[in-house]
Amino acid sequence: MNKQDLIRAIAEHGKMSRAEAEIALLAVQHTIREALANGRRVPLNGFGVFEVTETAARTGRNPKTGEPVQVAAKRKVRFKPSAQLKELVNQ
């Protein structure tokens, strides 16, 4: 499913125009991005949780040469699906 398919599905399910569905989708994306950028969790009941996790700095290896390489600490976005979503996917 691509973005246009998603907009079409939102429009049909929400009984709105495609333009309104696109605005709604962009608003949701923007809100989630802003929350994550500020380090906040975004729980969506029945769907899952978006959250920011931090990884520590570590020593990795260059796969080509085998040389040790320092990998910097960074923040990552993590999505943890809800139990309902996992169950639905595994039916």
Side-chain angles (χ1 to χ4, degrees):
M1 174 179 272
N2 62 30
K3 186 175 179 180
Q4 290 306 312
D5 293 338
L6 183 56
I7 290 169
R8 190 177 306 111
I10 292 169
E12 289 173 8
H13 187 73
K15 295 184 171 105
M16 61 180 82
S17 71
R18 285 190 186 170
E20 292 170 327
E22 183 172 11
I23 290 168
L25 177 61
L26 293 175
V28 169
Q29 288 176 332
H30 175 76
T31 304
I32 291 172
R33 266 193 235 116
E34 288 292 313
L36 292 173
N38 292 321
R40 297 189 350 235
R41 296 174 78 232
V42 182
L44 301 171
N45 291 339
F47 187 69
V49 177
F50 292 95
E51 61 188 350
V52 176
T53 60
E54 297 194 17
T55 61
R58 62 185 175 83
T59 301
R61 293 233 176 255
N62 180 334
K64 193 170 190 176
T65 64
E67 294 288 319
V69 177
Q70 279 303 110
V71 179
K74 58 185 164 183
R75 296 171 55 181
K76 293 181 178 183
V77 175
R78 177 176 178 239
F79 175 72
K80 183 178 177 185
S82 70
Q84 294 95 336
L85 182 58
K86 287 180 185 179
E87 187 177 306
L88 180 67
V89 169
N90 288 313
Q91 284 184 354

